[in-house]
Amino acid sequence: MASEGLAGSAGSWVLGTFAVYLLVLLGIGLYSSRLMDSVDDYVIGGRSVGPVVTGFSERASEMSGWLTLGVPSDAFGTGVMAFYNGLGMIPADLFAWAGIAKRLRKYTEIVKAVTLPTFFETRFQDDTGYVKGVSAFVLMLFEGGYVGAQIVAAGTLLEVLTGVSSLVGILVGGVIVVGYTMLGGYFAVAWSDYVQGAIILAAFIVLPIIAFTNYGLPFGELASAGSSYTSVTAGMTGWAAIFGIISYAAIGLGIPGNPHVMVRFMGIDEVENIRLAALVAQLFMFVAYIGAGFVGLYALVAFGQGGIEDPNNVMPLLTLEFFPGAIAGIILAAALAAMMSSADSQLLVATSAIVEDVYHGYINPNASQERLVRYSQYVTLGLGAASVAFAFLAQNTPIYTLVLDYAWGGLGAAIGPTLIAAVWWKRVTATGSVASMIVGTTTMILWTQLSTLLELVGLMGAVEGSAFLTGLVGVYGLFPAFILSTATLIVVSLLTTPPEGVDDHFDSFNKPLSALSSSDDPTGTPEYVTDGGRDVGPKAVTETDNIRAHVRASEYWDEGDE
């Protein structure tokens, strides 16, 4: 069966490597399950995950199949313009680390929040429940779909590579992702992302280097194939070129609103480690985007125009071209793992929205930590099963349209402006936040269907007569949705009454967390503040120290001696 796939004789290596890799993930989940005492551990790792793992995990959770398959495919179709995929993402992620990470890490610990909806509710002093309810609904809606899309992608790739049915791929990928996420929570997700990210990064370093040794620089070959491949606008001019570049850059607007990325900032062990984590993440992203772009360009050189029927197979085919079956199996397993690294993070965020924000927030505020952890595992299992079912039903839906136009864009437009304002603008209000989320969500969904709507009302002809309108209608929806969401947030906030006491909270940004541990502090910060997860000594220095201290604090081994 495996020989019918794209990988041919390497298909058995892909399957074997993938099977071993999945067992490793389950092992991580089983080990991490020993470290969980509370819902904080399950959702954000007890704020004790070190900077290197956090940096890798932050990037691996976001890049997913878009990096491994989407960017090489884009470069194969458009040429050097595909490098613009990093045009928006690199500066946006740098801004997130520099402008959001430290403040969000501090603020969420000060107000004891482990999820964004709970953070918003506390920050805006909203006693109506609307902010938490609307933001939790948005997270469940888009993150739930996101998980399904990633599982679809993994199942489809497994089918293409090895010849197994997509149903088998969906079931295998879904069961493993749900299994280790349910067992190990954030610890398992972060550490599995670390392993996955390292393999992905190595693949996108080695592939272009080997291609270079075979073909030299690809630009001469690309120019002979067509001038558009070496054009920074892919041959487009005027408004089409401008809106094309805007669309690439606008992808980065999604970062502040995607909670599976933001939760990394909340889960890092110490505030001072954010710089190292940011450096790791930026190096990862820069190298990976450049490498992924060159993989697509070298595929054009190696196979020629029309040489690959499905552009999504660019990366797998170039891997099989250069590597023997065993090594190709490892690299292609990494491509599958990239999708799982996003699915696990999104699954965890959706779980936290249901258990922490809805159940703990509205239904049973006095629930014990043991019950919350147990319910989180049940919800992860239920959401995972629903995502696998969704993946089966949506297996013929275009993956990247589903991800970019709805999940990534929807979260970015709905949550992004509110999150940025929450840590930077004292004047933002709960009403303004709710209005912004509704406008962002609605605009993103409608803009994606704008061409169809214009066709229905008979206005598409007028649009096609104008280069500006044609470019505007075709621009990535996150661009207008983010602008409208931000404008709504500002206008409605200025028209409503801001919360009180925010000055004291903002002043805390300039203090070390240890200085805020006094109950006399005006922020009301209690003895909870730890800045390092658990208050342990000696202070953790390495990643292993963090884990060891966590195990010791859980008294797991002591319990075994009884």
Side-chain angles (χ1 to χ4, degrees):
M1 180 181 294
S3 61
E4 298 173 0
L6 190 67
S9 59
S12 57
W13 283 105
V14 174
L15 284 174
T17 308
F18 194 53
V20 172
Y21 178 77
L22 295 180
L23 290 176
V24 171
L25 292 183
L26 281 179
I28 292 174
L30 284 170
Y31 179 79
S32 302
S33 66
R34 302 175 173 182
L35 307 178
M36 289 189 302
D37 308 317
S38 67
V39 72
D40 294 25
D41 296 335
Y42 193 82
V43 175
I44 59 172
R47 302 186 200 274
S48 61
V49 177
V52 176
V53 172
T54 297
F56 266 91
S57 178
E58 190 261 352
R59 285 295 83 211
S61 68
E62 177 270 314
M63 287 184 168
S64 69
W66 171 249
L67 172 73
T68 53
L69 301 185
V71 175
S73 168
D74 193 28
F76 184 81
T78 65
V80 298
M81 192 178 183
F83 287 112
Y84 285 155
N85 280 290
L87 177 68
M89 293 297 291
I90 292 176
D93 194 60
L94 186 59
F95 163 75
W97 279 104
I100 296 176
K102 183 178 179 181
R103 288 171 174 254
L104 186 62
R105 172 64 175 80
K106 281 189 172 185
Y107 217 137
T108 53
E109 184 159 1
I110 290 170
V111 301
K112 299 182 182 180
V114 297
T115 67
L116 291 184
T118 300
F119 166 60
F120 292 151
E121 180 186 52
T122 312
R123 161 68 179 83
F124 301 142
Q125 300 172 28
D126 176 43
D127 55 6
T128 67
Y130 289 145
V131 168
K132 177 186 275 189
V134 172
S135 54
F137 175 77
V138 169
L139 296 193
M140 287 186 284
L141 175 68
F142 290 120
E143 292 285 24
Y146 220 149
V147 176
Q150 298 296 342
I151 294 176
V152 169
T156 302
L157 183 58
L158 198 61
E159 177 188 21
V160 170
L161 288 174
T162 66
V164 301
S165 73
S166 60
L167 177 59
V168 172
I170 287 171
L171 287 175
V172 170
V175 167
I176 297 298
V177 169
V178 173
Y180 74 76
T181 305
M182 185 182 72
L183 287 171
Y186 185 86
F187 287 114
V189 167
W191 278 93
S192 60
D193 284 356
Y194 176 57
V195 175
Q196 291 158 347
I199 298 174
I200 294 167
L201 185 62
F204 281 114
I205 291 174
V206 173
L207 264 177
I209 290 176
I210 293 181
F212 174 76
T213 60
N214 281 271
Y215 301 109
L217 288 174
F219 303 112
E221 292 285 342
L222 295 177
S224 63
S227 58
S228 66
Y229 291 116
T230 53
S231 166
V232 293
T233 61
M236 294 186 292
T237 58
W239 287 113
I242 292 173
F243 281 113
I245 294 173
I246 289 175
S247 292
Y248 275 113
I251 295 174
L253 295 175
I255 284 183
N258 274 262
H260 57 277
V261 178
M262 294 297 105
V263 76
R264 265 64 188 173
F265 302 157
M266 297 160 62
I268 194 168
D269 58 350
E270 297 184 26
V271 173
E272 65 179 16
N273 283 337
I274 286 176
R275 288 184 180 178
L276 177 56
L279 178 63
V280 171
Q282 294 306 303
L283 287 175
F284 181 162
M285 182 162 57
F286 184 79
V287 173
Y289 267 114
I290 297 295
F294 271 108
V295 166
L297 298 185
Y298 276 117
L300 261 172
V301 175
F303 303 107
Q305 291 174 290
I308 297 177
E309 185 177 351
D310 183 354
N312 283 332
N313 297 332
V314 163
M315 185 269 192
L317 281 173
L318 199 68
T319 301
L320 294 166
E321 177 76 9
F322 289 136
F323 292 103
I327 298 177
I330 295 174
I331 295 175
L332 295 177
L336 290 161
M339 298 160 194
M340 296 168 61
S341 68
S342 291
D344 56 18
S345 303
Q346 292 144 5
L347 186 60
L348 200 59
V349 168
T351 295
S352 66
I354 294 175
V355 176
E356 179 62 19
D357 298 323
V358 177
Y359 175 74
H360 195 201
Y362 293 107
I363 300 174
N364 188 0
N366 299 318
S368 67
Q369 291 297 314
E370 291 76 12
R371 175 174 292 187
L372 291 175
V373 170
R374 188 169 67 252
Y375 283 11
S376 294
Q377 292 174 319
Y378 294 159
V379 170
T380 298
L381 181 61
L383 282 175
S387 297
V388 170
F390 170 81
F392 177 71
L393 295 174
Q395 57 184 307
N396 296 321
T397 305
I399 303 300
Y400 298 105
T401 296
L402 185 63
V403 169
L404 275 183
D405 288 349
Y406 293 106
W408 177 262
L411 289 167
I415 304 295
T418 288
L419 178 62
I420 295 172
V423 296
W424 277 104
W425 190 35
K426 300 175 184 177
R427 190 63 178 77
V428 63
T429 68
T431 308
S433 173
V434 169
S436 169
M437 291 181 197
I438 294 173
V439 168
T441 300
T442 306
T443 304
M444 192 66 216
I445 293 174
L446 291 180
W447 198 276
T448 304
Q449 303 296 327
L450 189 57
S451 296
T452 303
L453 295 174
L454 290 171
E455 192 73 45
L456 288 174
V457 297
L459 294 176
M460 200 59 198
V463 171
E464 291 173 344
S466 165
F468 172 79
L469 291 178
T470 300
L472 180 62
V473 169
V475 77
Y476 179 34
L478 180 53
F479 176 65
F482 193 92
I483 291 175
L484 291 176
S485 177
T486 302
T488 303
L489 179 75
I490 294 172
V491 171
V492 177
S493 292
L494 291 176
L495 294 175
T496 49
T497 305
E500 299 177 352
V502 181
D503 286 343
D504 293 333
H505 282 223
F506 271 62
D507 288 343
S508 68
F509 290 143
N510 298 319
K511 303 176 183 177
L513 277 174
S514 57
L516 304 174
S517 59
S518 169
S519 58
D520 296 329
D521 190 89
T523 62
T525 303
E527 67 284 356
Y528 178 82
V529 172
T530 59
D531 194 15
R534 295 177 180 281
D535 188 11
V536 296
K539 207 67 174 178
V541 177
T542 67
E543 305 284 350
T544 305
D545 290 336
N546 278 323
I547 298 297
R548 190 180 296 117
H550 207 99
V551 172
R552 185 165 55 246
S554 72
E555 299 180 348
Y556 173 80
W557 297 112
D558 294 340
E559 291 176 3
D561 293 334
E562 294 177 353

PDB file of all heavy atoms in Angstrom, residues 6 31 59 65 83 85 90 130 165 176 178 189 204 254 258 286 289 293 392-393 418 426 488 492 519 540 551:
ATOM      1  N   LEU A   6       3.543   8.950  -2.966  1.00  0.00           N
ATOM      2  CA  LEU A   6       4.550   9.794  -3.578  1.00  0.00           C
ATOM      3  C   LEU A   6       5.965   9.389  -3.171  1.00  0.00           C
ATOM      4  O   LEU A   6       6.904   9.488  -3.948  1.00  0.00           O
ATOM      5  CB  LEU A   6       4.292  11.252  -3.145  1.00  0.00           C
ATOM      6  CG  LEU A   6       5.078  12.351  -3.828  1.00  0.00           C
ATOM      7  CD1 LEU A   6       4.664  12.461  -5.285  1.00  0.00           C
ATOM      8  CD2 LEU A   6       4.842  13.658  -3.102  1.00  0.00           C
ATOM      9  N   TYR A  31       5.399  11.241  30.581  1.00  0.00           N
ATOM     10  CA  TYR A  31       6.323  11.828  31.554  1.00  0.00           C
ATOM     11  C   TYR A  31       5.760  13.140  32.108  1.00  0.00           C
ATOM     12  O   TYR A  31       5.800  13.388  33.316  1.00  0.00           O
ATOM     13  CB  TYR A  31       7.670  12.084  30.891  1.00  0.00           C
ATOM     14  CG  TYR A  31       8.680  12.717  31.833  1.00  0.00           C
ATOM     15  CD1 TYR A  31       9.354  11.948  32.767  1.00  0.00           C
ATOM     16  CD2 TYR A  31       8.928  14.089  31.792  1.00  0.00           C
ATOM     17  CE1 TYR A  31      10.261  12.522  33.642  1.00  0.00           C
ATOM     18  CE2 TYR A  31       9.827  14.667  32.670  1.00  0.00           C
ATOM     19  CZ  TYR A  31      10.497  13.888  33.584  1.00  0.00           C
ATOM     20  OH  TYR A  31      11.388  14.461  34.451  1.00  0.00           O
ATOM     21  N   ARG A  59       7.479  29.362  18.077  1.00  0.00           N
ATOM     22  CA  ARG A  59       7.540  29.370  16.618  1.00  0.00           C
ATOM     23  C   ARG A  59       6.906  28.109  16.021  1.00  0.00           C
ATOM     24  O   ARG A  59       6.181  28.166  15.044  1.00  0.00           O
ATOM     25  CB  ARG A  59       8.996  29.487  16.161  1.00  0.00           C
ATOM     26  CG  ARG A  59       9.592  30.866  16.311  1.00  0.00           C
ATOM     27  CD  ARG A  59       8.909  31.887  15.429  1.00  0.00           C
ATOM     28  NE  ARG A  59       7.704  32.412  16.034  1.00  0.00           N
ATOM     29  CZ  ARG A  59       6.643  32.823  15.358  1.00  0.00           C
ATOM     30  NH1 ARG A  59       6.612  32.760  14.058  1.00  0.00           N
ATOM     31  NH2 ARG A  59       5.582  33.297  15.972  1.00  0.00           N
ATOM     32  N   GLY A  65       1.959  23.592   9.154  1.00  0.00           N
ATOM     33  CA  GLY A  65       2.127  23.158   7.781  1.00  0.00           C
ATOM     34  C   GLY A  65       2.296  24.318   6.818  1.00  0.00           C
ATOM     35  O   GLY A  65       2.716  24.123   5.676  1.00  0.00           O
ATOM     36  N   PHE A  83       9.311  35.331  -0.470  1.00  0.00           N
ATOM     37  CA  PHE A  83      10.045  35.726   0.738  1.00  0.00           C
ATOM     38  C   PHE A  83       9.264  36.773   1.535  1.00  0.00           C
ATOM     39  O   PHE A  83       9.580  37.029   2.690  1.00  0.00           O
ATOM     40  CB  PHE A  83      11.433  36.259   0.368  1.00  0.00           C
ATOM     41  CG  PHE A  83      12.389  35.180  -0.068  1.00  0.00           C
ATOM     42  CD1 PHE A  83      12.832  35.115  -1.379  1.00  0.00           C
ATOM     43  CD2 PHE A  83      12.833  34.216   0.829  1.00  0.00           C
ATOM     44  CE1 PHE A  83      13.702  34.125  -1.792  1.00  0.00           C
ATOM     45  CE2 PHE A  83      13.707  33.207   0.426  1.00  0.00           C
ATOM     46  CZ  PHE A  83      14.144  33.156  -0.884  1.00  0.00           C
ATOM     47  N   ASN A  85       6.545  36.334   2.694  1.00  0.00           N
ATOM     48  CA  ASN A  85       5.854  35.653   3.794  1.00  0.00           C
ATOM     49  C   ASN A  85       6.479  36.031   5.139  1.00  0.00           C
ATOM     50  O   ASN A  85       5.805  36.065   6.160  1.00  0.00           O
ATOM     51  CB  ASN A  85       5.910  34.136   3.606  1.00  0.00           C
ATOM     52  CG  ASN A  85       4.884  33.635   2.607  1.00  0.00           C
ATOM     53  OD1 ASN A  85       3.699  33.652   2.879  1.00  0.00           O
ATOM     54  ND2 ASN A  85       5.349  33.220   1.439  1.00  0.00           N
ATOM     55  N   ILE A  90       8.015  38.283  10.538  1.00  0.00           N
ATOM     56  CA  ILE A  90       9.221  38.535  11.331  1.00  0.00           C
ATOM     57  C   ILE A  90       9.096  39.806  12.167  1.00  0.00           C
ATOM     58  O   ILE A  90       9.279  39.770  13.387  1.00  0.00           O
ATOM     59  CB  ILE A  90      10.465  38.555  10.420  1.00  0.00           C
ATOM     60  CG1 ILE A  90      10.720  37.141   9.878  1.00  0.00           C
ATOM     61  CG2 ILE A  90      11.688  39.059  11.188  1.00  0.00           C
ATOM     62  CD1 ILE A  90      11.861  37.049   8.883  1.00  0.00           C
ATOM     63  N   TYR A 130     -19.490  39.722  29.871  1.00  0.00           N
ATOM     64  CA  TYR A 130     -19.527  39.789  28.407  1.00  0.00           C
ATOM     65  C   TYR A 130     -18.136  39.616  27.787  1.00  0.00           C
ATOM     66  O   TYR A 130     -17.973  38.945  26.763  1.00  0.00           O
ATOM     67  CB  TYR A 130     -20.126  41.120  27.944  1.00  0.00           C
ATOM     68  CG  TYR A 130     -21.610  41.225  28.201  1.00  0.00           C
ATOM     69  CD1 TYR A 130     -22.188  42.445  28.546  1.00  0.00           C
ATOM     70  CD2 TYR A 130     -22.449  40.120  28.102  1.00  0.00           C
ATOM     71  CE1 TYR A 130     -23.553  42.550  28.789  1.00  0.00           C
ATOM     72  CE2 TYR A 130     -23.802  40.213  28.349  1.00  0.00           C
ATOM     73  CZ  TYR A 130     -24.354  41.425  28.697  1.00  0.00           C
ATOM     74  OH  TYR A 130     -25.692  41.516  28.947  1.00  0.00           O
ATOM     75  N   SER A 165      -4.958   5.477   3.308  1.00  0.00           N
ATOM     76  CA  SER A 165      -6.141   6.320   3.125  1.00  0.00           C
ATOM     77  C   SER A 165      -6.053   7.532   4.039  1.00  0.00           C
ATOM     78  O   SER A 165      -5.439   7.502   5.110  1.00  0.00           O
ATOM     79  CB  SER A 165      -7.405   5.518   3.446  1.00  0.00           C
ATOM     80  OG  SER A 165      -7.532   5.322   4.827  1.00  0.00           O
ATOM     81  N   ILE A 176      -3.011  10.538  18.344  1.00  0.00           N
ATOM     82  CA  ILE A 176      -1.735  10.838  19.000  1.00  0.00           C
ATOM     83  C   ILE A 176      -1.736  12.254  19.580  1.00  0.00           C
ATOM     84  O   ILE A 176      -1.332  12.479  20.724  1.00  0.00           O
ATOM     85  CB  ILE A 176      -0.569  10.683  18.005  1.00  0.00           C
ATOM     86  CG1 ILE A 176      -0.474   9.231  17.541  1.00  0.00           C
ATOM     87  CG2 ILE A 176       0.735  11.128  18.651  1.00  0.00           C
ATOM     88  CD1 ILE A 176      -0.178   8.241  18.649  1.00  0.00           C
ATOM     89  N   VAL A 178      -4.267  14.173  20.464  1.00  0.00           N
ATOM     90  CA  VAL A 178      -5.172  14.236  21.620  1.00  0.00           C
ATOM     91  C   VAL A 178      -4.572  13.485  22.802  1.00  0.00           C
ATOM     92  O   VAL A 178      -4.642  13.941  23.950  1.00  0.00           O
ATOM     93  CB  VAL A 178      -6.548  13.651  21.252  1.00  0.00           C
ATOM     94  CG1 VAL A 178      -7.430  13.569  22.500  1.00  0.00           C
ATOM     95  CG2 VAL A 178      -7.213  14.490  20.185  1.00  0.00           C
ATOM     96  N   VAL A 189       2.992  19.701  25.367  1.00  0.00           N
ATOM     97  CA  VAL A 189       2.909  20.499  24.143  1.00  0.00           C
ATOM     98  C   VAL A 189       4.210  21.264  23.909  1.00  0.00           C
ATOM     99  O   VAL A 189       4.765  21.273  22.807  1.00  0.00           O
ATOM    100  CB  VAL A 189       1.714  21.472  24.237  1.00  0.00           C
ATOM    101  CG1 VAL A 189       1.780  22.519  23.131  1.00  0.00           C
ATOM    102  CG2 VAL A 189       0.410  20.702  24.166  1.00  0.00           C
ATOM    103  N   PHE A 204      15.203  22.717   7.015  1.00  0.00           N
ATOM    104  CA  PHE A 204      15.247  23.899   6.145  1.00  0.00           C
ATOM    105  C   PHE A 204      16.619  24.561   6.115  1.00  0.00           C
ATOM    106  O   PHE A 204      16.816  25.548   5.402  1.00  0.00           O
ATOM    107  CB  PHE A 204      14.164  24.903   6.567  1.00  0.00           C
ATOM    108  CG  PHE A 204      12.811  24.497   6.065  1.00  0.00           C
ATOM    109  CD1 PHE A 204      11.813  24.132   6.948  1.00  0.00           C
ATOM    110  CD2 PHE A 204      12.546  24.448   4.713  1.00  0.00           C
ATOM    111  CE1 PHE A 204      10.568  23.737   6.484  1.00  0.00           C
ATOM    112  CE2 PHE A 204      11.314  24.051   4.232  1.00  0.00           C
ATOM    113  CZ  PHE A 204      10.318  23.685   5.123  1.00  0.00           C
ATOM    114  N   GLY A 254      -1.830  38.773  12.503  1.00  0.00           N
ATOM    115  CA  GLY A 254      -2.523  37.722  13.238  1.00  0.00           C
ATOM    116  C   GLY A 254      -1.822  37.299  14.518  1.00  0.00           C
ATOM    117  O   GLY A 254      -2.432  36.685  15.395  1.00  0.00           O
ATOM    118  N   ASN A 258      -3.524  35.466  18.269  1.00  0.00           N
ATOM    119  CA  ASN A 258      -3.584  34.004  18.311  1.00  0.00           C
ATOM    120  C   ASN A 258      -3.113  33.517  19.682  1.00  0.00           C
ATOM    121  O   ASN A 258      -1.912  33.530  19.985  1.00  0.00           O
ATOM    122  CB  ASN A 258      -2.732  33.411  17.190  1.00  0.00           C
ATOM    123  CG  ASN A 258      -3.521  33.307  15.890  1.00  0.00           C
ATOM    124  OD1 ASN A 258      -4.040  32.252  15.542  1.00  0.00           O
ATOM    125  ND2 ASN A 258      -3.661  34.438  15.184  1.00  0.00           N
ATOM    126  N   PHE A 286      13.712  33.407  11.183  1.00  0.00           N
ATOM    127  CA  PHE A 286      14.456  33.980  10.058  1.00  0.00           C
ATOM    128  C   PHE A 286      15.053  32.872   9.193  1.00  0.00           C
ATOM    129  O   PHE A 286      14.902  32.869   7.969  1.00  0.00           O
ATOM    130  CB  PHE A 286      15.555  34.899  10.601  1.00  0.00           C
ATOM    131  CG  PHE A 286      16.322  35.617   9.536  1.00  0.00           C
ATOM    132  CD1 PHE A 286      15.800  36.749   8.916  1.00  0.00           C
ATOM    133  CD2 PHE A 286      17.565  35.158   9.123  1.00  0.00           C
ATOM    134  CE1 PHE A 286      16.510  37.403   7.917  1.00  0.00           C
ATOM    135  CE2 PHE A 286      18.274  35.804   8.127  1.00  0.00           C
ATOM    136  CZ  PHE A 286      17.747  36.926   7.525  1.00  0.00           C
ATOM    137  N   TYR A 289      12.159  30.679   7.430  1.00  0.00           N
ATOM    138  CA  TYR A 289      11.473  31.309   6.294  1.00  0.00           C
ATOM    139  C   TYR A 289      12.383  31.405   5.071  1.00  0.00           C
ATOM    140  O   TYR A 289      11.962  31.164   3.935  1.00  0.00           O
ATOM    141  CB  TYR A 289      10.971  32.712   6.678  1.00  0.00           C
ATOM    142  CG  TYR A 289       9.553  32.697   7.184  1.00  0.00           C
ATOM    143  CD1 TYR A 289       9.256  33.029   8.494  1.00  0.00           C
ATOM    144  CD2 TYR A 289       8.502  32.353   6.343  1.00  0.00           C
ATOM    145  CE1 TYR A 289       7.954  33.020   8.970  1.00  0.00           C
ATOM    146  CE2 TYR A 289       7.208  32.336   6.795  1.00  0.00           C
ATOM    147  CZ  TYR A 289       6.928  32.665   8.104  1.00  0.00           C
ATOM    148  OH  TYR A 289       5.637  32.642   8.568  1.00  0.00           O
ATOM    149  N   GLY A 293      11.682  29.333   1.590  1.00  0.00           N
ATOM    150  CA  GLY A 293      11.597  30.027   0.298  1.00  0.00           C
ATOM    151  C   GLY A 293      12.551  29.429  -0.720  1.00  0.00           C
ATOM    152  O   GLY A 293      12.185  29.191  -1.883  1.00  0.00           O
ATOM    153  N   PHE A 392     -12.506  14.739   9.173  1.00  0.00           N
ATOM    154  CA  PHE A 392     -12.996  13.759   8.195  1.00  0.00           C
ATOM    155  C   PHE A 392     -14.014  14.401   7.245  1.00  0.00           C
ATOM    156  O   PHE A 392     -13.976  14.197   6.030  1.00  0.00           O
ATOM    157  CB  PHE A 392     -13.624  12.584   8.928  1.00  0.00           C
ATOM    158  CG  PHE A 392     -14.227  11.551   8.012  1.00  0.00           C
ATOM    159  CD1 PHE A 392     -13.416  10.727   7.250  1.00  0.00           C
ATOM    160  CD2 PHE A 392     -15.604  11.429   7.900  1.00  0.00           C
ATOM    161  CE1 PHE A 392     -13.971   9.795   6.384  1.00  0.00           C
ATOM    162  CE2 PHE A 392     -16.162  10.500   7.039  1.00  0.00           C
ATOM    163  CZ  PHE A 392     -15.344   9.679   6.276  1.00  0.00           C
ATOM    164  N   LEU A 393     -14.920  15.201   7.803  1.00  0.00           N
ATOM    165  CA  LEU A 393     -15.954  15.834   6.975  1.00  0.00           C
ATOM    166  C   LEU A 393     -15.361  16.908   6.052  1.00  0.00           C
ATOM    167  O   LEU A 393     -15.875  17.144   4.957  1.00  0.00           O
ATOM    168  CB  LEU A 393     -17.020  16.467   7.882  1.00  0.00           C
ATOM    169  CG  LEU A 393     -17.838  15.480   8.728  1.00  0.00           C
ATOM    170  CD1 LEU A 393     -18.743  16.230   9.693  1.00  0.00           C
ATOM    171  CD2 LEU A 393     -18.660  14.560   7.834  1.00  0.00           C
ATOM    172  N   THR A 418      -7.564  44.053  21.014  1.00  0.00           N
ATOM    173  CA  THR A 418      -7.883  44.091  22.447  1.00  0.00           C
ATOM    174  C   THR A 418      -6.665  43.732  23.290  1.00  0.00           C
ATOM    175  O   THR A 418      -6.391  44.369  24.318  1.00  0.00           O
ATOM    176  CB  THR A 418      -9.032  43.117  22.752  1.00  0.00           C
ATOM    177  OG1 THR A 418     -10.242  43.655  22.230  1.00  0.00           O
ATOM    178  CG2 THR A 418      -9.200  42.923  24.256  1.00  0.00           C
ATOM    179  N   LYS A 426      -4.336  52.488  28.799  1.00  0.00           N
ATOM    180  CA  LYS A 426      -5.124  52.486  30.032  1.00  0.00           C
ATOM    181  C   LYS A 426      -6.598  52.788  29.775  1.00  0.00           C
ATOM    182  O   LYS A 426      -7.466  52.406  30.545  1.00  0.00           O
ATOM    183  CB  LYS A 426      -4.552  53.527  31.007  1.00  0.00           C
ATOM    184  CG  LYS A 426      -3.116  53.303  31.409  1.00  0.00           C
ATOM    185  CD  LYS A 426      -2.597  54.447  32.262  1.00  0.00           C
ATOM    186  CE  LYS A 426      -1.113  54.273  32.579  1.00  0.00           C
ATOM    187  NZ  LYS A 426      -0.565  55.410  33.351  1.00  0.00           N
ATOM    188  N   THR A 488     -12.973  50.456  15.912  1.00  0.00           N
ATOM    189  CA  THR A 488     -14.128  50.258  16.799  1.00  0.00           C
ATOM    190  C   THR A 488     -13.701  50.276  18.259  1.00  0.00           C
ATOM    191  O   THR A 488     -14.358  50.887  19.112  1.00  0.00           O
ATOM    192  CB  THR A 488     -14.809  48.912  16.477  1.00  0.00           C
ATOM    193  OG1 THR A 488     -15.191  48.897  15.106  1.00  0.00           O
ATOM    194  CG2 THR A 488     -16.030  48.695  17.365  1.00  0.00           C
ATOM    195  N   VAL A 492     -15.337  53.249  20.613  1.00  0.00           N
ATOM    196  CA  VAL A 492     -16.268  52.836  21.681  1.00  0.00           C
ATOM    197  C   VAL A 492     -15.632  53.024  23.055  1.00  0.00           C
ATOM    198  O   VAL A 492     -16.312  53.426  24.013  1.00  0.00           O
ATOM    199  CB  VAL A 492     -16.708  51.372  21.471  1.00  0.00           C
ATOM    200  CG1 VAL A 492     -17.617  50.917  22.612  1.00  0.00           C
ATOM    201  CG2 VAL A 492     -17.418  51.216  20.132  1.00  0.00           C
ATOM    202  N   SER A 519       1.361  41.954  50.139  1.00  0.00           N
ATOM    203  CA  SER A 519      -0.089  42.127  50.086  1.00  0.00           C
ATOM    204  C   SER A 519      -0.479  43.589  50.221  1.00  0.00           C
ATOM    205  O   SER A 519      -1.628  43.961  49.997  1.00  0.00           O
ATOM    206  CB  SER A 519      -0.745  41.320  51.209  1.00  0.00           C
ATOM    207  OG  SER A 519      -0.231  41.734  52.464  1.00  0.00           O
ATOM    208  N   ALA A 540      16.347  27.602  39.613  1.00  0.00           N
ATOM    209  CA  ALA A 540      16.586  26.805  38.409  1.00  0.00           C
ATOM    210  C   ALA A 540      17.496  27.545  37.450  1.00  0.00           C
ATOM    211  O   ALA A 540      17.368  28.739  37.256  1.00  0.00           O
ATOM    212  CB  ALA A 540      15.264  26.491  37.737  1.00  0.00           C
ATOM    213  N   VAL A 551       9.132  18.465  39.745  1.00  0.00           N
ATOM    214  CA  VAL A 551       8.861  17.118  40.260  1.00  0.00           C
ATOM    215  C   VAL A 551       8.964  17.108  41.780  1.00  0.00           C
ATOM    216  O   VAL A 551       8.127  16.542  42.487  1.00  0.00           O
ATOM    217  CB  VAL A 551       9.846  16.109  39.639  1.00  0.00           C
ATOM    218  CG1 VAL A 551       9.699  14.746  40.298  1.00  0.00           C
ATOM    219  CG2 VAL A 551       9.602  15.994  38.145  1.00  0.00           C
TER     220      VAL A 551
END
